[in-house]
Amino acid sequence: MTNGPITETARAKRLPREQRRVQLLDSALKVFVAKGFHAASMDDIAEVAEVSKPVLYQHFPGKHELFLDLLDTHLHQLQNELTSVLSSAETNKERVSGTVTAFYEFIARKDEAYRLIFAAGMDNDHTVAERLERFHDALAVAIAEVIADDTGQPMAEATMLGHGLIGMATSAARHWSKLSERPDLDTSAQLTSRLAWRGISGFPKESEQS
């Protein structure tokens, strides 16, 4: 029988390393969402995770590295969801609708992970900007490949359309999240999808141009 309460360090040893890392990322997300990057501290994250700071530093060398790891995790998840939509949908109209809906669902998530991108106060951080640029470029190219294959548009032009679709979906979904009275998610995503599709469908299929 032990004397006194179990220490944080002893409690931390109960989880395998990878499970502990996931738990720390989940705790960090809560702190960054609530406070933003600059107001958050490693002490705050350790407290939410119920571990000692040494345990936290065993996994992440600092707050900045932890934030970047968390950002990478959620951008990777979102990119996988979006590329899955592009590859599984049978028509371009369904691809547009699925892409737009995926952005709405990301912003509507209860964990508010979208705040890492839009509301964490890291707009001027060079490393964050690089990650976001890579994410948008990769997704725009994935969309552009579908457009170019379907319409015969040059890749440079199709990529511009890809970026346009991403920008429209992101901007509309962010606006929707801020409304005190708003249509439900499905209705809002459908409205944005219809607007985007009216634009993209204006580029006829290659077979229709000949």
Side-chain angles (χ1 to χ4, degrees), residues 17-93:
R17 182 173 180 81
E18 186 57 30
Q19 290 183 28
R20 176 60 66 189
R21 180 180 175 279
V22 170
Q23 185 228 0
L24 294 175
L25 287 171
D26 288 344
S27 299
L29 176 60
K30 294 175 183 177
V31 175
F32 287 133
V33 163
K35 296 189 173 187
F37 175 80
H38 298 290
S41 70
M42 293 294 269
D43 286 303
D44 295 328
I45 296 168
E47 182 177 352
V48 171
E50 297 184 332
V51 300
S52 64
K53 281 180 67 177
V55 170
L56 183 56
Y57 280 108
Q58 286 173 10
H59 293 263
F60 304 99
K63 184 175 72 167
H64 190 253
E65 291 81 5
L66 175 50
F67 182 88
L68 292 178
D69 201 322
L70 192 60
L71 180 65
D72 286 341
T73 297
H74 288 283
L75 285 178
H76 183 68
Q77 290 176 358
L78 179 57
Q79 185 169 342
N80 282 344
E81 291 171 7
L82 291 165
T83 52
S84 176
V85 166
L86 291 174
S87 62
S88 62
E90 295 184 358
T91 67
N92 284 339
K93 186 174 183 179

Side-chain angles (χ1 to χ4, degrees), residues 148-153 203-210:
D149 183 63
D150 194 51
T151 67
Q153 290 288 123
F203 295 90
K205 291 185 177 182
E206 189 171 21
S207 59
E208 296 173 353
Q209 299 181 53
S210 57

Side-chain angles (χ1 to χ4, degrees), residues 54-210:
V55 170
L56 183 56
Y57 280 108
Q58 286 173 10
H59 293 263
F60 304 99
K63 184 175 72 167
H64 190 253
E65 291 81 5
L66 175 50
F67 182 88
L68 292 178
D69 201 322
L70 192 60
L71 180 65
D72 286 341
T73 297
H74 288 283
L75 285 178
H76 183 68
Q77 290 176 358
L78 179 57
Q79 185 169 342
N80 282 344
E81 291 171 7
L82 291 165
T83 52
S84 176
V85 166
L86 291 174
S87 62
S88 62
E90 295 184 358
T91 67
N92 284 339
K93 186 174 183 179
E94 290 174 349
R95 292 184 183 98
V96 169
S97 177
T99 298
V100 170
T101 300
F103 275 102
Y104 271 88
E105 289 176 343
F106 176 67
I107 287 180
R109 278 168 41 175
K110 290 183 178 180
D111 63 11
E112 297 184 280
Y114 77 93
R115 292 185 178 276
L116 295 173
I117 302 172
F118 302 117
M122 295 293 279
D123 297 359
N124 297 320
D125 186 281
H126 178 66
T127 51
V128 170
E130 283 185 336
R131 280 163 164 77
L132 293 178
E133 184 175 1
R134 285 200 300 269
F135 167 77
H136 286 118
D137 285 347
L139 184 58
V141 167
I143 295 171
E145 288 174 346
V146 175
I147 293 174
D149 183 63
D150 194 51
T151 67
Q153 290 288 123
M155 270 299 291
E157 296 178 11
T159 302
M160 287 186 63
L161 293 175
H163 277 289
L165 176 58
I166 296 167
M168 179 183 293
T170 303
S171 178
R174 287 184 66 192
H175 173 72
W176 170 80
S177 72
K178 298 174 184 177
L179 296 176
S180 56
E181 295 183 12
R182 62 193 186 194
D184 62 57
L185 187 151
D186 289 339
T187 300
S188 300
Q190 184 182 46
L191 288 170
T192 308
S193 299
R194 287 172 63 190
L195 177 61
W197 176 243
R198 284 181 181 275
I200 291 178
S201 64
F203 295 90
K205 291 185 177 182
E206 189 171 21
S207 59
E208 296 173 353
Q209 299 181 53
S210 57

Side-chain angles (χ1 to χ4, degrees), residues 8-21:
E8 289 179 334
T9 302
R11 186 186 298 119
K13 291 180 180 178
R14 292 181 178 178
L15 288 180
R17 182 173 180 81
E18 186 57 30
Q19 290 183 28
R20 176 60 66 189
R21 180 180 175 279

